[in-house]
PDB file of all heavy atoms in Angstrom:
ATOM      1  N   MET A   1     -30.966   3.286  11.971  1.00 72.00           N
ATOM      2  CA  MET A   1     -29.902   4.182  11.486  1.00 72.00           C
ATOM      3  C   MET A   1     -29.366   4.995  12.658  1.00 72.00           C
ATOM      4  O   MET A   1     -30.142   5.591  13.415  1.00 72.00           O
ATOM      5  CB  MET A   1     -30.457   5.114  10.408  1.00 72.00           C
ATOM      6  CG  MET A   1     -29.436   6.101   9.860  1.00 72.00           C
ATOM      7  SD  MET A   1     -28.170   5.320   8.851  1.00 72.00           S
ATOM      8  CE  MET A   1     -29.154   4.828   7.427  1.00 72.00           C
ATOM      9  N   PHE A   2     -28.031   4.970  12.796  1.00 76.00           N
ATOM     10  CA  PHE A   2     -27.421   5.740  13.888  1.00 76.00           C
ATOM     11  C   PHE A   2     -27.566   7.230  13.594  1.00 76.00           C
ATOM     12  O   PHE A   2     -27.400   7.660  12.449  1.00 76.00           O
ATOM     13  CB  PHE A   2     -25.939   5.374  14.013  1.00 76.00           C
ATOM     14  CG  PHE A   2     -25.307   5.847  15.284  1.00 76.00           C
ATOM     15  CD1 PHE A   2     -25.438   5.117  16.445  1.00 76.00           C
ATOM     16  CD2 PHE A   2     -24.582   7.030  15.322  1.00 76.00           C
ATOM     17  CE1 PHE A   2     -24.855   5.543  17.625  1.00 76.00           C
ATOM     18  CE2 PHE A   2     -24.001   7.480  16.488  1.00 76.00           C
ATOM     19  CZ  PHE A   2     -24.137   6.722  17.653  1.00 76.00           C
ATOM     20  N   PRO A   3     -27.887   8.042  14.624  1.00 82.00           N
ATOM     21  CA  PRO A   3     -28.109   9.482  14.405  1.00 82.00           C
ATOM     22  C   PRO A   3     -26.905  10.158  13.745  1.00 82.00           C
ATOM     23  O   PRO A   3     -25.772  10.036  14.211  1.00 82.00           O
ATOM     24  CB  PRO A   3     -28.352  10.028  15.821  1.00 82.00           C
ATOM     25  CG  PRO A   3     -28.856   8.845  16.591  1.00 82.00           C
ATOM     26  CD  PRO A   3     -28.159   7.651  16.010  1.00 82.00           C
ATOM     27  N   GLU A   4     -27.182  10.887  12.688  1.00 80.00           N
ATOM     28  CA  GLU A   4     -26.121  11.538  11.922  1.00 80.00           C
ATOM     29  C   GLU A   4     -25.377  12.572  12.756  1.00 80.00           C
ATOM     30  O   GLU A   4     -24.155  12.718  12.642  1.00 80.00           O
ATOM     31  CB  GLU A   4     -26.742  12.207  10.691  1.00 80.00           C
ATOM     32  CG  GLU A   4     -25.745  12.850   9.748  1.00 80.00           C
ATOM     33  CD  GLU A   4     -24.940  11.836   8.953  1.00 80.00           C
ATOM     34  OE1 GLU A   4     -25.456  10.710   8.748  1.00 80.00           O
ATOM     35  OE2 GLU A   4     -23.808  12.168   8.561  1.00 80.00           O
ATOM     36  N   GLN A   5     -26.087  13.287  13.611  1.00 80.00           N
ATOM     37  CA  GLN A   5     -25.463  14.365  14.368  1.00 80.00           C
ATOM     38  C   GLN A   5     -24.518  13.860  15.446  1.00 80.00           C
ATOM     39  O   GLN A   5     -23.741  14.625  16.021  1.00 80.00           O
ATOM     40  CB  GLN A   5     -26.538  15.278  14.993  1.00 80.00           C
ATOM     41  CG  GLN A   5     -27.441  14.592  16.008  1.00 80.00           C
ATOM     42  CD  GLN A   5     -28.673  13.981  15.339  1.00 80.00           C
ATOM     43  OE1 GLN A   5     -28.628  13.703  14.139  1.00 80.00           O
ATOM     44  NE2 GLN A   5     -29.736  13.807  16.096  1.00 80.00           N
ATOM     45  N   TRP A   6     -24.565  12.572  15.768  1.00 83.00           N
ATOM     46  CA  TRP A   6     -23.687  12.005  16.793  1.00 83.00           C
ATOM     47  C   TRP A   6     -22.381  11.460  16.213  1.00 83.00           C
ATOM     48  O   TRP A   6     -21.499  11.041  16.952  1.00 83.00           O
ATOM     49  CB  TRP A   6     -24.402  10.875  17.539  1.00 83.00           C
ATOM     50  CG  TRP A   6     -25.495  11.377  18.437  1.00 83.00           C
ATOM     51  CD1 TRP A   6     -25.927  12.658  18.590  1.00 83.00           C
ATOM     52  CD2 TRP A   6     -26.306  10.562  19.293  1.00 83.00           C
ATOM     53  NE1 TRP A   6     -26.965  12.731  19.484  1.00 83.00           N
ATOM     54  CE2 TRP A   6     -27.221  11.442  19.940  1.00 83.00           C
ATOM     55  CE3 TRP A   6     -26.367   9.216  19.585  1.00 83.00           C
ATOM     56  CZ2 TRP A   6     -28.151  11.002  20.852  1.00 83.00           C
ATOM     57  CZ3 TRP A   6     -27.304   8.757  20.505  1.00 83.00           C
ATOM     58  CH2 TRP A   6     -28.187   9.644  21.131  1.00 83.00           C
ATOM     59  N   ARG A   7     -22.296  11.415  14.915  1.00 83.00           N
ATOM     60  CA  ARG A   7     -21.114  10.805  14.299  1.00 83.00           C
ATOM     61  C   ARG A   7     -19.892  11.710  14.427  1.00 83.00           C
ATOM     62  O   ARG A   7     -19.975  12.927  14.278  1.00 83.00           O
ATOM     63  CB  ARG A   7     -21.379  10.509  12.816  1.00 83.00           C
ATOM     64  CG  ARG A   7     -22.461   9.473  12.606  1.00 83.00           C
ATOM     65  CD  ARG A   7     -22.619   9.162  11.130  1.00 83.00           C
ATOM     66  NE  ARG A   7     -23.735   8.252  10.897  1.00 83.00           N
ATOM     67  CZ  ARG A   7     -24.123   7.832   9.699  1.00 83.00           C
ATOM     68  NH1 ARG A   7     -23.473   8.259   8.618  1.00 83.00           N
ATOM     69  NH2 ARG A   7     -25.139   7.004   9.572  1.00 83.00           N
ATOM     70  N   ILE A   8     -18.759  11.081  14.700  1.00 84.00           N
ATOM     71  CA  ILE A   8     -17.480  11.783  14.808  1.00 84.00           C
ATOM     72  C   ILE A   8     -16.483  11.088  13.886  1.00 84.00           C
ATOM     73  O   ILE A   8     -16.351   9.859  13.920  1.00 84.00           O
ATOM     74  CB  ILE A   8     -16.957  11.772  16.256  1.00 84.00           C
ATOM     75  CG1 ILE A   8     -17.938  12.472  17.187  1.00 84.00           C
ATOM     76  CG2 ILE A   8     -15.577  12.422  16.331  1.00 84.00           C
ATOM     77  CD1 ILE A   8     -17.546  12.402  18.647  1.00 84.00           C
ATOM     78  N   SER A   9     -15.779  11.840  13.082  1.00 81.00           N
ATOM     79  CA  SER A   9     -14.779  11.268  12.173  1.00 81.00           C
ATOM     80  C   SER A   9     -13.390  11.714  12.610  1.00 81.00           C
ATOM     81  O   SER A   9     -13.155  12.896  12.867  1.00 81.00           O
ATOM     82  CB  SER A   9     -15.038  11.724  10.734  1.00 81.00           C
ATOM     83  OG  SER A   9     -14.007  11.264   9.882  1.00 81.00           O
ATOM     84  N   ILE A  10     -12.476  10.747  12.715  1.00 82.00           N
ATOM     85  CA  ILE A  10     -11.092  11.072  13.049  1.00 82.00           C
ATOM     86  C   ILE A  10     -10.224  11.134  11.785  1.00 82.00           C
ATOM     87  O   ILE A  10      -9.028  11.388  11.864  1.00 82.00           O
ATOM     88  CB  ILE A  10     -10.497  10.032  14.027  1.00 82.00           C
ATOM     89  CG1 ILE A  10     -10.416   8.654  13.360  1.00 82.00           C
ATOM     90  CG2 ILE A  10     -11.300   9.982  15.312  1.00 82.00           C
ATOM     91  CD1 ILE A  10      -9.640   7.640  14.175  1.00 82.00           C
ATOM     92  N   ARG A  11     -10.850  10.892  10.637  1.00 84.00           N
ATOM     93  CA  ARG A  11     -10.097  10.831   9.394  1.00 84.00           C
ATOM     94  C   ARG A  11      -9.396  12.149   9.094  1.00 84.00           C
ATOM     95  O   ARG A  11      -8.202  12.181   8.771  1.00 84.00           O
ATOM     96  CB  ARG A  11     -11.026  10.466   8.239  1.00 84.00           C
ATOM     97  CG  ARG A  11     -10.320  10.324   6.894  1.00 84.00           C
ATOM     98  CD  ARG A  11     -11.302   9.872   5.833  1.00 84.00           C
ATOM     99  NE  ARG A  11     -12.377  10.846   5.658  1.00 84.00           N
ATOM    100  CZ  ARG A  11     -13.439  10.638   4.886  1.00 84.00           C
ATOM    101  NH1 ARG A  11     -13.576   9.496   4.232  1.00 84.00           N
ATOM    102  NH2 ARG A  11     -14.370  11.568   4.772  1.00 84.00           N
ATOM    103  N   GLY A  12     -10.120  13.252   9.209  1.00 84.00           N
ATOM    104  CA  GLY A  12      -9.548  14.557   8.893  1.00 84.00           C
ATOM    105  C   GLY A  12      -8.365  14.915   9.771  1.00 84.00           C
ATOM    106  O   GLY A  12      -7.277  15.246   9.255  1.00 84.00           O
ATOM    107  N   PRO A  13      -8.507  14.877  11.119  1.00 86.00           N
ATOM    108  CA  PRO A  13      -7.365  15.210  11.991  1.00 86.00           C
ATOM    109  C   PRO A  13      -6.156  14.295  11.780  1.00 86.00           C
ATOM    110  O   PRO A  13      -5.014  14.771  11.796  1.00 86.00           O
ATOM    111  CB  PRO A  13      -7.942  15.047  13.402  1.00 86.00           C
ATOM    112  CG  PRO A  13      -9.415  15.246  13.243  1.00 86.00           C
ATOM    113  CD  PRO A  13      -9.747  14.695  11.901  1.00 86.00           C
ATOM    114  N   VAL A  14      -6.408  13.006  11.590  1.00 82.00           N
ATOM    115  CA  VAL A  14      -5.283  12.079  11.387  1.00 82.00           C
ATOM    116  C   VAL A  14      -4.554  12.399  10.090  1.00 82.00           C
ATOM    117  O   VAL A  14      -3.315  12.466  10.045  1.00 82.00           O
ATOM    118  CB  VAL A  14      -5.781  10.617  11.385  1.00 82.00           C
ATOM    119  CG1 VAL A  14      -4.667   9.677  10.926  1.00 82.00           C
ATOM    120  CG2 VAL A  14      -6.267  10.215  12.766  1.00 82.00           C
ATOM    121  N   ASN A  15      -5.308  12.614   9.011  1.00 83.00           N
ATOM    122  CA  ASN A  15      -4.685  12.946   7.728  1.00 83.00           C
ATOM    123  C   ASN A  15      -3.915  14.260   7.801  1.00 83.00           C
ATOM    124  O   ASN A  15      -2.822  14.394   7.240  1.00 83.00           O
ATOM    125  CB  ASN A  15      -5.747  13.023   6.625  1.00 83.00           C
ATOM    126  CG  ASN A  15      -6.301  11.660   6.262  1.00 83.00           C
ATOM    127  OD1 ASN A  15      -5.690  10.631   6.545  1.00 83.00           O
ATOM    128  ND2 ASN A  15      -7.466  11.644   5.635  1.00 83.00           N
ATOM    129  N   SER A  16      -4.485  15.243   8.510  1.00 87.00           N
ATOM    130  CA  SER A  16      -3.802  16.533   8.657  1.00 87.00           C
ATOM    131  C   SER A  16      -2.503  16.371   9.438  1.00 87.00           C
ATOM    132  O   SER A  16      -1.480  17.006   9.111  1.00 87.00           O
ATOM    133  CB  SER A  16      -4.720  17.537   9.369  1.00 87.00           C
ATOM    134  OG  SER A  16      -5.894  17.764   8.615  1.00 87.00           O
ATOM    135  N   PHE A  17      -2.534  15.523  10.459  1.00 84.00           N
ATOM    136  CA  PHE A  17      -1.333  15.294  11.267  1.00 84.00           C
ATOM    137  C   PHE A  17      -0.228  14.656  10.434  1.00 84.00           C
ATOM    138  O   PHE A  17       0.936  15.079  10.482  1.00 84.00           O
ATOM    139  CB  PHE A  17      -1.692  14.411  12.458  1.00 84.00           C
ATOM    140  CG  PHE A  17      -0.511  14.004  13.293  1.00 84.00           C
ATOM    141  CD1 PHE A  17       0.134  14.931  14.098  1.00 84.00           C
ATOM    142  CD2 PHE A  17      -0.049  12.699  13.270  1.00 84.00           C
ATOM    143  CE1 PHE A  17       1.232  14.570  14.870  1.00 84.00           C
ATOM    144  CE2 PHE A  17       1.052  12.322  14.037  1.00 84.00           C
ATOM    145  CZ  PHE A  17       1.689  13.263  14.835  1.00 84.00           C
ATOM    146  N   ILE A  18      -0.585  13.630   9.658  1.00 82.00           N
ATOM    147  CA  ILE A  18       0.404  12.954   8.818  1.00 82.00           C
ATOM    148  C   ILE A  18       0.958  13.908   7.756  1.00 82.00           C
ATOM    149  O   ILE A  18       2.171  13.948   7.497  1.00 82.00           O
ATOM    150  CB  ILE A  18      -0.197  11.705   8.150  1.00 82.00           C
ATOM    151  CG1 ILE A  18      -0.629  10.676   9.202  1.00 82.00           C
ATOM    152  CG2 ILE A  18       0.792  11.082   7.175  1.00 82.00           C
ATOM    153  CD1 ILE A  18       0.506  10.098  10.002  1.00 82.00           C
ATOM    154  N   GLU A  19       0.079  14.694   7.147  1.00 84.00           N
ATOM    155  CA  GLU A  19       0.524  15.654   6.131  1.00 84.00           C
ATOM    156  C   GLU A  19       1.463  16.706   6.726  1.00 84.00           C
ATOM    157  O   GLU A  19       2.438  17.120   6.095  1.00 84.00           O
ATOM    158  CB  GLU A  19      -0.686  16.328   5.487  1.00 84.00           C
ATOM    159  CG  GLU A  19      -1.499  15.387   4.594  1.00 84.00           C
ATOM    160  CD  GLU A  19      -2.821  15.993   4.163  1.00 84.00           C
ATOM    161  OE1 GLU A  19      -3.067  17.177   4.537  1.00 84.00           O
ATOM    162  OE2 GLU A  19      -3.599  15.313   3.486  1.00 84.00           O
ATOM    163  N   ALA A  20       1.170  17.134   7.972  1.00 86.00           N
ATOM    164  CA  ALA A  20       2.044  18.103   8.639  1.00 86.00           C
ATOM    165  C   ALA A  20       3.416  17.491   8.925  1.00 86.00           C
ATOM    166  O   ALA A  20       4.444  18.159   8.778  1.00 86.00           O
ATOM    167  CB  ALA A  20       1.395  18.586   9.936  1.00 86.00           C
ATOM    168  N   LEU A  21       3.424  16.224   9.323  1.00 84.00           N
ATOM    169  CA  LEU A  21       4.699  15.540   9.561  1.00 84.00           C
ATOM    170  C   LEU A  21       5.534  15.494   8.275  1.00 84.00           C
ATOM    171  O   LEU A  21       6.736  15.768   8.286  1.00 84.00           O
ATOM    172  CB  LEU A  21       4.451  14.117  10.065  1.00 84.00           C
ATOM    173  CG  LEU A  21       4.088  13.928  11.535  1.00 84.00           C
ATOM    174  CD1 LEU A  21       3.882  12.444  11.839  1.00 84.00           C
ATOM    175  CD2 LEU A  21       5.175  14.497  12.448  1.00 84.00           C
ATOM    176  N   VAL A  22       4.886  15.124   7.183  1.00 81.00           N
ATOM    177  CA  VAL A  22       5.601  15.025   5.907  1.00 81.00           C
ATOM    178  C   VAL A  22       6.129  16.382   5.475  1.00 81.00           C
ATOM    179  O   VAL A  22       7.269  16.510   5.007  1.00 81.00           O
ATOM    180  CB  VAL A  22       4.664  14.438   4.822  1.00 81.00           C
ATOM    181  CG1 VAL A  22       5.349  14.467   3.462  1.00 81.00           C
ATOM    182  CG2 VAL A  22       4.265  13.007   5.180  1.00 81.00           C
ATOM    183  N   ALA A  23       5.298  17.415   5.648  1.00 83.00           N
ATOM    184  CA  ALA A  23       5.695  18.752   5.199  1.00 83.00           C
ATOM    185  C   ALA A  23       6.807  19.346   6.051  1.00 83.00           C
ATOM    186  O   ALA A  23       7.737  19.971   5.535  1.00 83.00           O
ATOM    187  CB  ALA A  23       4.482  19.682   5.210  1.00 83.00           C
ATOM    188  N   ASN A  24       6.734  19.155   7.368  1.00 85.00           N
ATOM    189  CA  ASN A  24       7.678  19.820   8.273  1.00 85.00           C
ATOM    190  C   ASN A  24       8.917  18.988   8.592  1.00 85.00           C
ATOM    191  O   ASN A  24       9.980  19.557   8.893  1.00 85.00           O
ATOM    192  CB  ASN A  24       6.970  20.185   9.582  1.00 85.00           C
ATOM    193  CG  ASN A  24       5.835  21.168   9.359  1.00 85.00           C
ATOM    194  OD1 ASN A  24       5.935  22.061   8.527  1.00 85.00           O
ATOM    195  ND2 ASN A  24       4.749  21.006  10.105  1.00 85.00           N
ATOM    196  N   TYR A  25       8.777  17.682   8.577  1.00 81.00           N
ATOM    197  CA  TYR A  25       9.902  16.821   8.990  1.00 81.00           C
ATOM    198  C   TYR A  25      10.240  15.772   7.939  1.00 81.00           C
ATOM    199  O   TYR A  25      10.840  14.750   8.246  1.00 81.00           O
ATOM    200  CB  TYR A  25       9.567  16.124  10.315  1.00 81.00           C
ATOM    201  CG  TYR A  25       9.232  17.084  11.428  1.00 81.00           C
ATOM    202  CD1 TYR A  25       7.905  17.320  11.786  1.00 81.00           C
ATOM    203  CD2 TYR A  25      10.236  17.774  12.106  1.00 81.00           C
ATOM    204  CE1 TYR A  25       7.590  18.206  12.807  1.00 81.00           C
ATOM    205  CE2 TYR A  25       9.927  18.659  13.122  1.00 81.00           C
ATOM    206  CZ  TYR A  25       8.606  18.870  13.469  1.00 81.00           C
ATOM    207  OH  TYR A  25       8.306  19.752  14.471  1.00 81.00           O
ATOM    208  N   GLY A  26       9.870  16.045   6.696  1.00 80.00           N
ATOM    209  CA  GLY A  26      10.148  15.088   5.637  1.00 80.00           C
ATOM    210  C   GLY A  26      11.625  14.787   5.482  1.00 80.00           C
ATOM    211  O   GLY A  26      12.014  13.638   5.230  1.00 80.00           O
ATOM    212  N   PHE A  27      12.482  15.798   5.691  1.00 83.00           N
ATOM    213  CA  PHE A  27      13.926  15.596   5.561  1.00 83.00           C
ATOM    214  C   PHE A  27      14.443  14.616   6.600  1.00 83.00           C
ATOM    215  O   PHE A  27      15.336  13.789   6.316  1.00 83.00           O
ATOM    216  CB  PHE A  27      14.649  16.942   5.702  1.00 83.00           C
ATOM    217  CG  PHE A  27      14.512  17.579   7.061  1.00 83.00           C
ATOM    218  CD1 PHE A  27      15.471  17.379   8.045  1.00 83.00           C
ATOM    219  CD2 PHE A  27      13.411  18.365   7.354  1.00 83.00           C
ATOM    220  CE1 PHE A  27      15.346  17.956   9.291  1.00 83.00           C
ATOM    221  CE2 PHE A  27      13.272  18.946   8.610  1.00 83.00           C
ATOM    222  CZ  PHE A  27      14.242  18.736   9.583  1.00 83.00           C
ATOM    223  N   ALA A  28      13.889  14.685   7.812  1.00 85.00           N
ATOM    224  CA  ALA A  28      14.325  13.774   8.871  1.00 85.00           C
ATOM    225  C   ALA A  28      13.898  12.341   8.554  1.00 85.00           C
ATOM    226  O   ALA A  28      14.671  11.389   8.753  1.00 85.00           O
ATOM    227  CB  ALA A  28      13.745  14.218  10.216  1.00 85.00           C
ATOM    228  N   PHE A  29      12.671  12.189   8.049  1.00 82.00           N
ATOM    229  CA  PHE A  29      12.204  10.853   7.693  1.00 82.00           C
ATOM    230  C   PHE A  29      13.023  10.278   6.539  1.00 82.00           C
ATOM    231  O   PHE A  29      13.322   9.083   6.519  1.00 82.00           O
ATOM    232  CB  PHE A  29      10.719  10.902   7.321  1.00 82.00           C
ATOM    233  CG  PHE A  29       9.809  11.108   8.494  1.00 82.00           C
ATOM    234  CD1 PHE A  29       9.060  12.277   8.609  1.00 82.00           C
ATOM    235  CD2 PHE A  29       9.698  10.154   9.479  1.00 82.00           C
ATOM    236  CE1 PHE A  29       8.216  12.476   9.692  1.00 82.00           C
ATOM    237  CE2 PHE A  29       8.860  10.334  10.571  1.00 82.00           C
ATOM    238  CZ  PHE A  29       8.121  11.502  10.672  1.00 82.00           C
ATOM    239  N   ARG A  30      13.400  11.134   5.581  1.00 83.00           N
ATOM    240  CA  ARG A  30      14.213  10.659   4.462  1.00 83.00           C
ATOM    241  C   ARG A  30      15.602  10.221   4.930  1.00 83.00           C
ATOM    242  O   ARG A  30      16.134   9.214   4.459  1.00 83.00           O
ATOM    243  CB  ARG A  30      14.320  11.756   3.398  1.00 83.00           C
ATOM    244  CG  ARG A  30      13.050  11.930   2.561  1.00 83.00           C
ATOM    245  CD  ARG A  30      13.316  12.821   1.367  1.00 83.00           C
ATOM    246  NE  ARG A  30      13.625  14.192   1.762  1.00 83.00           N
ATOM    247  CZ  ARG A  30      12.713  15.135   1.968  1.00 83.00           C
ATOM    248  NH1 ARG A  30      11.429  14.859   1.811  1.00 83.00           N
ATOM    249  NH2 ARG A  30      13.077  16.359   2.317  1.00 83.00           N
ATOM    250  N   ALA A  31      16.185  10.982   5.860  1.00 87.00           N
ATOM    251  CA  ALA A  31      17.504  10.606   6.390  1.00 87.00           C
ATOM    252  C   ALA A  31      17.427   9.293   7.159  1.00 87.00           C
ATOM    253  O   ALA A  31      18.296   8.422   7.022  1.00 87.00           O
ATOM    254  CB  ALA A  31      18.031  11.726   7.290  1.00 87.00           C
ATOM    255  N   PHE A  32      16.380   9.147   7.963  1.00 84.00           N
ATOM    256  CA  PHE A  32      16.200   7.898   8.715  1.00 84.00           C
ATOM    257  C   PHE A  32      15.986   6.728   7.769  1.00 84.00           C
ATOM    258  O   PHE A  32      16.576   5.651   7.946  1.00 84.00           O
ATOM    259  CB  PHE A  32      15.002   8.046   9.655  1.00 84.00           C
ATOM    260  CG  PHE A  32      14.644   6.783  10.387  1.00 84.00           C
ATOM    261  CD1 PHE A  32      15.420   6.334  11.436  1.00 84.00           C
ATOM    262  CD2 PHE A  32      13.530   6.044  10.012  1.00 84.00           C
ATOM    263  CE1 PHE A  32      15.089   5.165  12.111  1.00 84.00           C
ATOM    264  CE2 PHE A  32      13.189   4.878  10.670  1.00 84.00           C
ATOM    265  CZ  PHE A  32      13.981   4.442  11.732  1.00 84.00           C
ATOM    266  N   ALA A  33      15.163   6.950   6.754  1.00 84.00           N
ATOM    267  CA  ALA A  33      14.892   5.882   5.789  1.00 84.00           C
ATOM    268  C   ALA A  33      16.160   5.465   5.058  1.00 84.00           C
ATOM    269  O   ALA A  33      16.386   4.284   4.793  1.00 84.00           O
ATOM    270  CB  ALA A  33      13.831   6.341   4.789  1.00 84.00           C
ATOM    271  N   HIS A  34      17.009   6.440   4.739  1.00 86.00           N
ATOM    272  CA  HIS A  34      18.266   6.131   4.051  1.00 86.00           C
ATOM    273  C   HIS A  34      19.158   5.250   4.929  1.00 86.00           C
ATOM    274  O   HIS A  34      19.773   4.288   4.438  1.00 86.00           O
ATOM    275  CB  HIS A  34      18.985   7.424   3.687  1.00 86.00           C
ATOM    276  CG  HIS A  34      20.301   7.206   3.001  1.00 86.00           C
ATOM    277  ND1 HIS A  34      20.401   6.766   1.698  1.00 86.00           N
ATOM    278  CD2 HIS A  34      21.589   7.331   3.455  1.00 86.00           C
ATOM    279  CE1 HIS A  34      21.671   6.646   1.365  1.00 86.00           C
ATOM    280  NE2 HIS A  34      22.407   6.984   2.412  1.00 86.00           N
ATOM    281  N   SER A  35      19.228   5.563   6.212  1.00 88.00           N
ATOM    282  CA  SER A  35      20.056   4.767   7.134  1.00 88.00           C
ATOM    283  C   SER A  35      19.537   3.336   7.239  1.00 88.00           C
ATOM    284  O   SER A  35      20.316   2.375   7.193  1.00 88.00           O
ATOM    285  CB  SER A  35      20.078   5.425   8.516  1.00 88.00           C
ATOM    286  OG  SER A  35      20.599   6.734   8.454  1.00 88.00           O
ATOM    287  N   VAL A  36      18.227   3.203   7.398  1.00 86.00           N
ATOM    288  CA  VAL A  36      17.641   1.869   7.499  1.00 86.00           C
ATOM    289  C   VAL A  36      17.847   1.089   6.211  1.00 86.00           C
ATOM    290  O   VAL A  36      18.183  -0.106   6.229  1.00 86.00           O
ATOM    291  CB  VAL A  36      16.141   1.957   7.842  1.00 86.00           C
ATOM    292  CG1 VAL A  36      15.492   0.576   7.824  1.00 86.00           C
ATOM    293  CG2 VAL A  36      15.943   2.604   9.207  1.00 86.00           C
ATOM    294  N   LEU A  37      17.673   1.768   5.090  1.00 88.00           N
ATOM    295  CA  LEU A  37      17.846   1.102   3.796  1.00 88.00           C
ATOM    296  C   LEU A  37      19.276   0.606   3.614  1.00 88.00           C
ATOM    297  O   LEU A  37      19.494  -0.505   3.102  1.00 88.00           O
ATOM    298  CB  LEU A  37      17.485   2.065   2.661  1.00 88.00           C
ATOM    299  CG  LEU A  37      17.586   1.501   1.234  1.00 88.00           C
ATOM    300  CD1 LEU A  37      16.660   0.299   1.063  1.00 88.00           C
ATOM    301  CD2 LEU A  37      17.269   2.574   0.210  1.00 88.00           C
TER     302      LEU A  37
END
């Protein structure tokens, strides 16, 4: 069993980054998506 104290998870920071993008720049992504569509 790999030592528990050595484990590092990137799940939290990545999810927080994506959520921040959606919250702060969602309008820009929607405008871009509309153009592509």
Side-chain angles (χ1 to χ4, degrees):
M1 179 70 69
F2 194 83
E4 184 73 26
Q5 63 270 23
W6 289 3
R7 295 183 185 178
I8 299 175
S9 175
I10 65 171
R11 182 176 61 187
V14 170
N15 289 341
S16 299
F17 175 72
I18 297 295
E19 290 170 2
L21 281 180
V22 174
N24 298 323
Y25 303 101
F27 65 94
F29 288 114
R30 285 191 294 273
F32 175 74
H34 179 73
S35 301
V36 175
L37 181 60

